[in-house]
Amino acid sequence: MKIGVLGSGTVAQGLSARLAELGHNVVIGTRDADKLRGWQSSNQRVLIGSFAETAAHGDIVVNATDGAGSLSALTMAGDENLADKILIDVSNPLDFSDGFPPSLTVFGKDSLAEQIQRAFPMTRVVKTLNTVTARVMTHPLEVANGDHHVFISGNDTDAKKQVTEMLRSFGWINIFDLGDLSTARGTEAYLLLWVRLYGALNTGMINVKVMK
Amino acid sequence: MKIGVLGSGTVAQGLSARLAELGHNVVIGTRDADKLRGWQSSNQRVLIGSFAETAAHGDIVVNATDGAGSLSALTMAGDENLADKILIDVSNPLDFSDGFPPSLTVFGKDSLAEQIQRAFPMTRVVKTLNTVTARVMTHPLEVANGDHHVFISGNDTDAKKQVTEMLRSFGWINIFDLGDLSTARGTEAYLLLWVRLYGALNTGMINVKVMK
């Protein structure tokens, strides 16, 4: 499948490498291609593009940009390049303006995922993977042999089904469909607990399992 | 032990009944004693008091009032009745002004627990149990045989130790010390995910387990 990954940080690099390893045709999109040259030298199956080239390439597009800059990055990617596509939003609206621990730039009665969906109404936004660190996103079996949950939120059932298949290809066993995209308010807010779990355990190789 | 439980709802009733069952000397505090007469007829070991009487009674005081009204309830309870005591804050600052699902009245760079601590600096505030429904608070073994976590936040190590003993007496096995009281920002924000888990599973008899 042709996949475009927007972003140049650890999350975008990790997702691009994993998707390429799984046989997909991946372009990673950045404002500054030079930042990715070193990384690409050991990930030659992934091509580098602008945000717009990357979005145009993908049948599925992944938003792995910083949450605070996601709306502007997606605007640069272009409405016409995102229309009628699935956009997997793995970002978090973290606000580091007062340092660590972060707060969120949007919260409670709205979410970044919903802001993106409103800005790109022709795109099918699916929120997922934002509750775990980059390595766990793509290698869930490395935490407790995969005995933990990833959440998925979105308004389009078929889009969630396709994203679920991608998650399974990463190794995810327990995929929890929370419902429509407004449920991303829950997973985005959870980040404020996640940063405290990270602080207490001194590792990001963690996740939660829903018990009942 | 002499324990005062502030509040008259399901959480306050459940905690009072359980603490009395475990042999503690419990007073439940309310603005309106008539609301609790029916409940008390089958919980006669629990006495009813005003907020001030209840706080004065307790060596440990529990804030089980609605989060939106907690600061005013604690003000009625009286600074002098709370000074030098442990206050277990199990409330959540839920904002139902737009209906369900709720938002929070305080969030991100502050928490209700910290607001209470600032208002009552002589009191040792410990935040816990706010991430589960009333029944799970007092009967954790009824969810997955207790194979899940409760979180605890507070600035005073000895106070957290005493609260941990109380949690163990309820049946809690996995008690996760997140750190100082600012970590309550995490567990309070988590409520926005909890309400979505509740919505998806249609039961409150749930919790999360931290996996690593």
Side-chain angles (χ1 to χ4, degrees), chain A residues 6-200:
Chain A
L6 303 170
S8 55
T10 313
V11 173
Q13 290 176 13
L15 285 165
S16 297
R18 182 72 160 139
L19 288 163
E21 177 187 88
L22 291 169
H24 297 291
N25 179 350
V26 181
V27 174
I28 186 168
T30 176
R31 280 187 186 83
D32 180 5
D34 287 342
K35 277 171 58 180
L36 287 169
R37 296 288 175 215
W39 173 82
Q40 197 206 21
S41 65
S42 52
N43 292 273
Q44 299 189 0
R45 282 181 298 191
V46 179
L47 300 183
I48 300 175
S50 67
F51 285 143
E53 289 164 345
T54 300
H57 166 80
D59 294 321
I60 290 181
V61 181
V62 180
N63 174 37
T65 64
D66 283 344
S70 287
L71 282 166
S72 69
L74 289 165
T75 300
M76 291 171 71
D79 194 37
E80 67 284 9
N81 294 322
L82 293 168
D84 302 321
K85 292 181 180 176
I86 293 172
L87 178 68
I88 305 176
D89 176 31
V90 306
S91 70
N92 280 303
L94 297 175
D95 173 6
F96 285 101
S97 61
D98 285 353
F100 192 89
S103 184
L104 301 179
T105 59
V106 55
F107 156 81
K109 299 181 182 180
D110 199 3
S111 61
L112 177 57
E114 292 166 282
Q115 290 179 328
I116 292 171
Q117 182 66 81
R118 287 197 302 275
F120 301 91
M122 301 296 290
T123 302
R124 295 179 288 165
V125 178
V126 176
K127 186 96 192 188
T128 192
L129 291 175
N130 61 305
T131 55
V132 292
T133 199
R135 182 70 187 175
V136 181
M137 289 182 183
T138 53
H139 296 79
L141 299 178
E142 293 182 7
V143 171
N145 296 314
D147 186 26
H148 49 89
H149 280 94
V150 66
F151 303 102
I152 188 166
S153 305
N155 298 334
D156 188 287
T157 302
D158 177 65
K160 285 197 283 193
K161 192 175 161 210
Q162 289 188 57
V163 175
T164 296
E165 285 169 22
M166 182 186 288
L167 294 171
R168 292 209 185 284
S169 76
F170 291 165
W172 283 97
I173 300 163
N174 304 304
I175 300 165
F176 194 119
D177 185 350
L178 285 170
D180 68 30
L181 199 61
S182 75
T183 62
R185 298 175 198 175
T187 58
E188 292 180 9
Y190 163 79
L191 258 285
L192 297 192
L193 178 57
W194 187 90
V195 295
R196 302 308 187 139
L197 296 173
Y198 174 90

Side-chain angles (χ1 to χ4, degrees), chain B residues 3-40:
Chain B
I3 301 178
V5 178
L6 303 171
S8 55
T10 313
V11 173
Q13 291 176 13
L15 284 165
S16 297
R18 183 73 160 139
L19 288 163
E21 177 187 86
L22 291 168
H24 297 291
N25 179 350
V26 181
V27 174
I28 186 168
T30 176
R31 280 186 186 84
D32 180 6
D34 287 341
K35 277 172 57 179
L36 287 168
R37 297 287 176 216
W39 173 81
Q40 197 205 22

Side-chain angles (χ1 to χ4, degrees), chain B residues 92-136:
Chain B
N92 280 303
L94 298 175
D95 172 6
F96 285 102
S97 61
D98 285 352
F100 192 90
S103 184
L104 300 179
T105 60
V106 54
F107 158 81
K109 297 181 183 180
D110 199 3
S111 62
L112 177 57
E114 291 166 283
Q115 290 179 328
I116 292 171
Q117 183 65 81
R118 287 197 302 275
F120 301 91
M122 302 297 289
T123 302
R124 295 179 287 165
V125 179
V126 176
K127 186 97 193 187
T128 191
L129 291 176
N130 61 306
T131 55
V132 293
T133 199
R135 181 71 187 176
V136 181

Side-chain angles (χ1 to χ4, degrees), chain B residues 138-155:
Chain B
T138 53
H139 296 79
L141 299 178
E142 292 182 8
V143 171
N145 296 314
D147 187 26
H148 48 91
H149 280 95
V150 67
F151 303 103
I152 188 166
S153 305
N155 298 334

